[in-house]
């Protein structure tokens, strides 16, 4: 009889196979389950959306909480899943309007850690305004009761710097860029009067305040501000830290 057919050898081989099978079964039981896309979708959809802020104070608090998360790197990425996309596909009720610069480093949705349907966002060079921009800012407060407008300028603004140098030197910027410089002349004049070691930053902050004041007092938004259903806030974003500081207009 050969070795494989020997009764003792057959018993040893059979026992070895049994041990190996048991070991493999144990490994299979201890292998962690890999989450499937379906699992992730269920998890994402079980988190209820945050309630929409209905007052200027609550809306500003929501934005500033999001900015603190941006600064600390503790992002929640709210309202960015397919369920949210479907929820706002037919209608929207943003709780804030943000008028910011076109600068690629200052995306309001990211630095306030918001998502789909949360904000109306307008971006122009150095927050320069005109009739179309002003009308776009007015849209949310006047049609859907959006309680907050934020005019958001930022550190080292290239549009402000170019406008400052052109106005100081009596030069003309190319193409339609001159329209930005013309719109920023009041901020330039204020910066010249105030002086200081960083006139571009002074001009940036002046532009924020002047734009917020103009929106706050215009004939359509002014009555909403007066009765307390709307606040127009001026804010400054630091490229270095990611922090947003309020310059004025915060609701009490």
């Amino acid at each position: 009889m050969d070795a494989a057919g020997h009764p003792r050898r057959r018993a040893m081989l059979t026992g070895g196979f049994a041990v190996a099978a048991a070991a493999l079964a144990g490994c299979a039981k201890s292998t962690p389950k890999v989450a499937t896309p379906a699992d992730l979708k269920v998890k994402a959809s079980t988190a209820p959306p945050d309630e929409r802020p209905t007052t200027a104070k609550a809306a500003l608090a929501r934005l500033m909480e999001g900015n603190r998360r941006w600064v600390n790197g503790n992002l929640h990425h709210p309202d960015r899943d397919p369920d949210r996309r479907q929820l706002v596909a037919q209608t929207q009720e943003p709780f804030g309007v943000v008028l910011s610069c076109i600068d690629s480093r200052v995306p309001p949705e990211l630095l306030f850690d918001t998502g789909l349907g949360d904000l109306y966002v307008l971006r122009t060079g150095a927050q320069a305004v005109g009739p179309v921009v002003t009308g776009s800012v007015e849209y949310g407060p006047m049609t859907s009761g959006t309680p907050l407008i934020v005019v958001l300028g930022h550190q080292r603004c290239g549009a402000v710097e170019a406008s400052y140098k052109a106005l100081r030197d009596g030069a003309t910027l190319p193409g339609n860029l001159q329209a930005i410089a013309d719109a920023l002349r009041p901020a330039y004049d204020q910066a010249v009067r105030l002086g200081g070691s960083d006139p571009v930053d002074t001009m940036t902050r002046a532009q924020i305040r002047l734009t917020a004041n103009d929106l706050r007092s215009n004939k359509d938004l002014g009555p909403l501000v007066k009765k307390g259903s709307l606040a127009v806030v001026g804010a400054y974003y630091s490229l270095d830290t990611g922090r947003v500081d309020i310059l004025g207009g915060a609701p009490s």
Side-chain angles (χ1 to χ4, degrees), residues 200-220:
V200 172
D201 196 69
T202 301
M203 183 173 166
T204 298
R205 293 171 184 268
Q207 172 65 5
I208 295 167
R209 292 189 175 98
L210 288 170
T211 302
N213 288 341
D214 287 345
L215 293 172
R216 195 179 295 122
S217 60
N218 88 10
K219 66 182 182 65
D220 296 307

Side-chain angles (χ1 to χ4, degrees), residues 64 67-68 70-72 106 111-112 152-155 235-246:
M64 297 308 289
N67 180 246
R68 282 191 289 273
W70 171 257
V71 172
N72 297 330
V106 191
L111 61 90
F112 287 121
L152 182 66
H154 67 93
Q155 182 183 28
Y236 178 92
Y237 177 69
S238 168
L239 295 175
D240 292 335
T241 66
R243 176 176 168 175
V244 172
D245 288 314
I246 302 302

Side-chain angles (χ1 to χ4, degrees), residues 32-177:
K33 180 183 177 183
V34 178
T36 66
D39 294 331
L40 296 176
K41 184 178 185 301
V42 169
K43 183 178 181 180
S45 64
T46 57
D50 291 332
E51 185 176 350
R52 176 186 184 267
T54 57
T55 67
K57 185 174 182 179
L60 183 60
R62 173 76 62 82
L63 291 184
M64 297 308 289
E65 288 168 5
N67 180 246
R68 282 191 289 273
R69 295 195 298 270
W70 171 257
V71 172
N72 297 330
N74 184 30
L75 299 173
H76 291 179
H77 304 295
D79 300 336
R80 300 187 191 182
D81 56 46
D83 289 340
R84 177 65 173 181
R85 184 185 68 227
Q86 293 175 10
L87 180 66
V88 300
Q90 299 300 323
T91 186
Q92 60 174 334
E93 285 188 303
F95 64 84
V97 179
V98 179
L99 171 59
S100 68
C101 184
I102 63 171
D103 195 292
S104 65
R105 301 163 294 180
V106 191
E109 296 91 341
L110 297 185
L111 61 90
F112 287 121
D113 195 23
T114 58
L116 290 175
D118 291 333
L119 300 175
Y120 291 110
V121 174
L122 303 91
R123 304 182 69 175
T124 68
Q127 307 83 242
V129 296
V132 172
V133 175
T134 301
S136 299
V137 171
E138 292 172 347
Y139 179 82
M142 295 179 65
T143 66
S144 57
T146 303
L148 178 68
I149 297 170
V150 176
V151 178
L152 182 66
H154 67 93
Q155 182 183 28
R156 292 191 288 274
C157 180
V160 172
E161 182 177 7
S163 298
Y164 175 84
K165 291 178 178 178
L167 293 169
R168 180 196 62 191
D169 300 338
T172 300
L173 294 175
N176 288 305
L177 294 177

Side-chain angles (χ1 to χ4, degrees), residues 171-192:
T172 300
L173 294 175
N176 288 305
L177 294 177
Q178 183 59 35
I180 299 176
D182 293 340
L184 269 57
R185 180 172 286 278
Y188 170 80
D189 292 340
Q190 191 172 113
V192 170

Side-chain angles (χ1 to χ4, degrees), residues 216-231:
R216 195 179 295 122
S217 60
N218 88 10
K219 66 182 182 65
D220 296 307
L221 298 177
L224 300 177
V225 173
K226 187 174 182 179
K227 74 177 185 178
S229 61
L230 174 69

